[in-house]
Amino acid sequence: DKEYVGFATLPNQVHRKSVKKGFDFTLMVAGESGLGKSTLVNSLFLTDLYKDRKLLNAEERITQTVEITKHTVDIEEKGVKLKLTIVDTPGFGDAVNNTECWKSVADYIDQQFEQYFRDESGLNRKNIQDNRVHCCLYFISPFGHGLRPLDVEFMKALHEKVNIVPILAKADTLTPNELNSMSLPLFWFDFKQQIHDSIPFAVIGSNTVVEAKGKRVRGRLYPWGIVEVENSAHCDFVKLRNMLVRTHMQDLKDVTRETHYENYRAHCIQSMTR
Ligand code: GDP
Ligand code: MG
């Protein structure tokens, strides 16, 4: 049986005209390394984005600065096309000196705005390649009992540039009580109104298929049982994916365009006329 991501319902979110052209969406993942970012985006879109990656040894990791990588995949479901771009920020929080480690992420987001601003003011405005980041999944460690200073710094610096959706990583390593006692201050999330009750999304990622009650599902195998990625009783994976592709993709794009990009643009114009 074929698995579906579910974006075939996208036409309901927007005018039919866009259906033929297809949709594009740029999703960024950020947070410390080893929290399951790559695994989750793979699980979300059922595609192995990272099959070519090389494993870095510990030494390389420590000296590595934040290096941003971009993967684009074209996926199609029930005749609806989605061009998905994943922007990964590997190694974030790994370096010895983490001060301003959010800076390169912020710069990346600004550069995409800048490019768009330039293209928009140019002659060929019809076929602008839009690389603006529509959403940033920010991974929070399950081992830190809440936000660490680094997390706070990141969100303070970025929340006016991009829609941040906080993700509580590796939720399978926490007991339900521990999960409930994790409280996150929400004032950074401009996008919070619509998804307030769901924040943070406590997720489990896995690209392994296991057998649960005779059914083959994606999950993680433990001596005491199986956690199923796509079982809503086990984690918020399905809720997150539904929010991203079924219900809020267009909202995320609208807020990016109307709020974050407009802010950037106003800023640019202001500094040009001073
Ligand atoms: P990244 O550095 O944030 O991209 O993390 P990876 O996706 O490379 O995952 C790091 C390790 O954590 C891998 O061994 C994964 O199999 C494991 N992992 C990923 N997601 C989960 C999860 O939800 N729960 C648990 N327990 N392990 C996970
Ligand atoms: Mg990774």
Side-chain angles (χ1 to χ4, degrees), residues 5-233:
V5 171
F7 57 83
T9 57
L10 275 176
N12 302 340
Q13 293 179 44
V14 289
H15 195 271
R16 293 219 145 255
K17 210 165 69 185
S18 335
V19 178
K20 247 200 250 143
K21 280 198 307 196
F23 297 83
D24 58 82
F25 190 69
T26 299
L27 180 70
M28 174 184 256
V29 289
E32 119 190 37
S33 107
L35 287 183
K37 298 185 296 296
S38 305
T39 307
L40 188 83
V41 284
N42 267 331
S43 316
L44 277 172
F45 300 102
L46 309 173
T47 160
D48 201 354
L49 293 166
Y50 296 95
K51 53 180 180 288
D52 297 329
R53 77 171 161 184
K54 290 192 212 82
L55 286 172
L56 299 173
N57 62 40
E59 221 169 341
E60 272 175 309
R61 260 206 203 160
I62 289 164
T63 53
Q64 195 191 25
T65 46
V66 181
E67 188 189 54
I68 293 172
T69 46
K70 207 170 96 173
H71 308 258
T72 298
V73 284
D74 289 296
I75 40 187
E76 185 169 344
E77 254 177 44
K78 300 178 182 170
V80 178
K81 289 194 204 98
L82 177 68
K83 178 170 168 258
L84 174 73
T85 303
I86 303 285
V87 182
D88 202 350
T89 58
F92 176 71
D94 261 3
V96 176
N97 181 4
N98 276 317
T99 34
E100 304 208 332
C101 60
W102 46 266
K103 191 105 185 19
S104 62
V105 177
D107 287 347
Y108 180 89
I109 291 169
D110 280 344
Q111 279 155 20
Q112 312 315 307
F113 283 153
E114 187 191 333
Q115 182 67 48
Y116 193 86
F117 182 62
R118 227 184 294 137
D119 290 352
E120 198 183 43
S121 335
L123 285 174
N124 187 11
R125 292 199 322 211
K126 275 246 170 69
N127 300 306
I128 298 178
Q129 171 118 40
D130 187 0
N131 292 314
R132 293 174 295 184
V133 180
H134 300 121
C135 180
C136 173
L137 300 181
Y138 186 77
F139 283 61
I140 295 156
S141 168
F143 311 114
H145 309 286
L147 296 181
R148 297 171 314 159
L150 191 64
D151 298 327
V152 175
E153 232 180 276
F154 182 93
M155 295 198 224
K156 269 194 188 151
L158 273 290
H159 78 110
E160 281 176 333
K161 294 180 187 296
V162 65
N163 299 308
I164 299 177
V165 172
I167 301 291
L168 187 54
K170 297 187 173 179
D172 53 320
T173 61
L174 296 174
T175 66
N177 272 341
E178 287 172 322
L179 262 179
N180 287 331
S181 69
M182 283 274 262
S183 74
L184 299 177
L186 293 174
F187 51 88
W188 295 293
F189 309 122
D190 291 348
F191 195 60
K192 64 182 177 282
Q193 307 91 305
Q194 294 107 318
I195 53 165
H196 188 275
D197 297 339
S198 311
I199 282 177
F201 290 89
V203 299
I204 299 163
S206 168
N207 297 312
T208 320
V209 174
V210 293
E211 196 159 318
K213 297 181 200 115
K215 262 181 32 191
R216 307 207 8 105
V217 295
R218 268 175 317 141
R220 305 191 80 87
L221 195 61
Y222 285 102
W224 42 262
I226 288 168
V227 284
E228 297 170 41
V229 168
E230 290 180 81
N231 184 331
S232 302

